[in-house]
Amino acid sequence: MVSTRKEQSFLPTPVGHFPPFIVAMQDAGFYPHPVNEVLVLQTHISYVVLAGDYAYKLKKAVNLGILDYGSLEKRHHCCREELRLNGRFAPQIYLDIQAIVATSSGFRLASEDTAGAIEYCIRMRRFDQQCLFSRMLERGELSQTLVERLAIKLVRFHADAVVQKTSLRRLRGVIESTLSLASPYLSQLEGEAAFGEINRFCTGFLSEQTEVLAKRRREDHIRECHGDLHLNNIVLFDGAPVIFDGIEFNEDLRCTDVMAEIAFPVMDLEARGRPDLANILLNTYLEESGDWEGVAVLPLYLVYRATVRGWVHAKLADEPGLSDCEREDALSRARQYFRLAGRYTRPTDLQAWTMHGLSGAGKSTVARAVCRAHGAIHLRSDAVRKHLAGVALHIHQTVPENAGIYAPSMTRTTYTRLLELAEVCLRAGFSVVLDARYPLHRQRSQVMVLGRRLGVPVTILACLCPWPLLKRRLAARIGDISDAGPTLLEQQVQELEPPLGDELGATQFIDTTEAPEQLPTKTSHSLL
């Protein structure tokens, strides 16, 4: 069935408290299509009437400050906006707007332009709530593949979304408003110290990182986004991830940095106990978009999104009609999100890893495992190189030796860029894995120097694999963004400078003889 906001926790309504037109919509004969049973759900701002293959969403006549549905004209406008905005990413769910008109015998559905409408509704296609990503996660059915597909879909959506020039003042207003709304609940559930910690972090970030935030605006990273992208607003529909229920009622909440958007599902996955999937989602998004510099603002948006969800659940616990169990569940979830927001404000022990080895040695497989285990940002040279060159990641091309995007000058530029991005991520509080061959002492030395300058330990992960197996792997490689083939191995061996001297103390050698898909999915002290 279609879902609505408010964590899909629908509020009870005493019999007789529905508006007359909602009462009429509970009759199966009201509809021009087959209906066996009608179910009415509601949140504090909407009714959703489930009838047959469709759902009809109506807005309540309320004015809550951040949204105003107070007049029929405003509700009609917001229906149109919801259809327009959600049609960008869920046209298969959002169908059209219909009017409800009064007749001598009661009420009926009519086309949107029918005169005398007393209300408007959005007609939507129903879906199974068990296919919500939140429900799939609870059942252990949310796979790495689905998370990667979601990330790629978000990259494409953000690339096409309308650029906005939202000011820093408006961004500050949104965050300060959220903190103001959340503060009574946060202070009650987690204490004044917890609220102070979150408030100081957000205030400090907005004050100290004004140039970074301004640069994001100048470089067109502020877009007309979804605005409320937690796991309950993502569904598996016709075999594909589909996002829905984007915010239509408040432009400030949806016109935001794309990094604020991806922060929402990343945070939600972590809050729900799957930091590994959160890391896959984030790294896939960064690699596909090339927006690694956005990591600089990610801490602010992770704190903000966790605080938003904490407030939503805490406010839900105040609603009348909840059972003691439902209220305690809402409070428990609120505490969980608030604690996560607090954790995001505190620095963690940072680390940096640099890969080393020939093509086909399993470097990227090991790098992904390290990233999942440590929440690190994956900086892969194949992706960085192609973004620098303006080449689509997944278009495979024959690799010319020392020419084109693999010319020595481009290789030097790629390694320089890797180093720059590593510093951005480390300064933002994220560990990094630099995934490239790093064949030369001087290349690895630059990473070691960066680590010493930032006070971050650096480990060299040297992947070892028998020569015949390397050739077989490269010959069979498909579906990977790397263009390396077996003909390059001879050249790579000639330039290889294995770790020596002081490097050996920072090097861990890994036997990757096993097939890449059989390597451990989590790192351990026995592996690294």
Side-chain angles (χ1 to χ4, degrees), residues 503-525:
E503 283 186 319
L504 287 175
T507 301
Q508 296 182 16
F509 294 91
I510 306 169
D511 183 356
T512 61
T513 301
E514 292 182 272
E517 63 270 14
Q518 294 175 335
L519 285 172
T521 56
K522 291 186 178 181
T523 59
S524 66
H525 293 295

Side-chain angles (χ1 to χ4, degrees), residues 227-265:
D228 196 26
L229 198 58
H230 50 80
L231 297 186
N232 280 300
N233 286 341
I234 310 168
V235 66
L236 185 64
F237 190 88
D238 289 341
V242 175
I243 62 178
F244 67 98
D245 206 17
I247 288 177
E248 93 290 345
F249 55 78
N250 190 310
E251 185 179 277
D252 286 349
L253 296 181
R254 70 173 180 270
C255 294
T256 187
D257 195 314
V258 295
M259 204 53 58
E261 183 110 293
I262 194 64
F264 216 150

Side-chain angles (χ1 to χ4, degrees), residues 283 287 292 364 367-368 371 376-380 431-433 435:
N283 276 317
E287 183 164 290
W292 291 284
S364 291
R368 292 188 190 98
C371 287
I377 302 299
H378 188 186
L379 299 173
R380 189 177 178 191
S431 296
V432 295
V433 178
D435 180 9

Side-chain angles (χ1 to χ4, degrees), residues 135-342:
R135 301 284 180 86
M136 295 180 68
L137 186 69
E138 291 171 358
R139 299 193 303 272
E141 297 175 1
L142 189 58
S143 67
Q144 173 178 334
T145 299
L146 281 176
V147 168
E148 290 171 343
R149 291 172 66 190
L150 171 64
I152 293 169
K153 175 165 284 193
L154 289 175
V155 169
R156 293 171 181 168
F157 163 52
H158 288 156
D160 293 335
V162 176
V163 173
Q164 299 289 323
K165 292 298 182 182
T166 302
S167 67
L168 181 58
R169 179 184 59 79
R170 293 177 72 179
L171 168 63
R172 188 188 305 274
V174 167
I175 293 178
E176 289 177 349
S177 175
T178 298
L179 291 173
S180 177
L181 291 168
S183 62
Y185 299 101
L186 207 166
S187 299
Q188 178 184 358
L189 295 175
E190 291 297 302
E192 290 289 342
F195 170 70
E197 182 179 47
I198 292 171
N199 188 52
R200 281 191 299 274
F201 177 85
C202 293
T203 302
F205 196 102
L206 289 167
S207 174
E208 297 164 10
Q209 301 296 331
T210 53
E211 176 52 33
V212 174
L213 293 165
K215 183 182 178 186
R216 297 290 294 173
R217 181 177 181 271
R218 289 196 304 270
E219 295 179 351
D220 292 342
H221 294 295
I222 312 300
R223 304 270 171 150
E224 188 172 50
C225 295
H226 178 284
D228 196 26
L229 198 58
H230 50 80
L231 297 186
N232 280 300
N233 286 341
I234 310 168
V235 66
L236 185 64
F237 190 88
D238 289 341
V242 175
I243 62 178
F244 67 98
D245 206 17
I247 288 177
E248 93 290 345
F249 55 78
N250 190 310
E251 185 179 277
D252 286 349
L253 296 181
R254 70 173 180 270
C255 294
T256 187
D257 195 314
V258 295
M259 204 53 58
E261 183 110 293
I262 194 64
F264 216 150
V266 167
M267 177 281 302
D268 212 12
L269 284 165
E270 291 193 336
R272 295 171 184 268
R274 290 303 302 269
D276 56 327
L277 290 180
N279 184 260
I280 291 168
L281 177 64
L282 177 59
N283 276 317
T284 304
Y285 183 90
L286 295 175
E287 183 164 290
E288 290 287 332
S289 67
D291 190 16
W292 291 284
E293 287 193 341
V295 173
V297 296
L298 189 57
L300 173 67
Y301 293 123
L302 288 170
V303 172
Y304 164 62
R305 294 306 192 185
T307 303
V308 167
R309 296 311 291 163
W311 168 69
V312 166
H313 285 282
K315 192 173 186 301
L316 175 62
D318 284 345
E319 297 289 352
L322 295 182
S323 68
D324 290 343
C325 182
E326 289 171 329
R327 181 168 289 102
E328 184 50 44
D329 179 66
L331 290 173
S332 176
R333 287 180 180 270
R335 292 188 186 95
Q336 187 176 16
Y337 284 110
F338 284 147
R339 286 171 185 165
L340 182 60

Side-chain angles (χ1 to χ4, degrees), residues 420-432:
E420 293 170 349
L421 293 173
E423 181 163 358
V424 168
C425 296
L426 289 168
R427 288 191 179 280
F430 293 87
S431 296
V432 295

Side-chain angles (χ1 to χ4, degrees), residues 17-39:
H17 283 64
F18 284 125
F21 57 88
I22 296 292
V23 174
M25 294 180 76
Q26 294 180 71
D27 184 351
F30 180 85
Y31 303 92
H33 52 80
V35 174
N36 292 326
E37 182 183 17
V38 179
L39 180 62

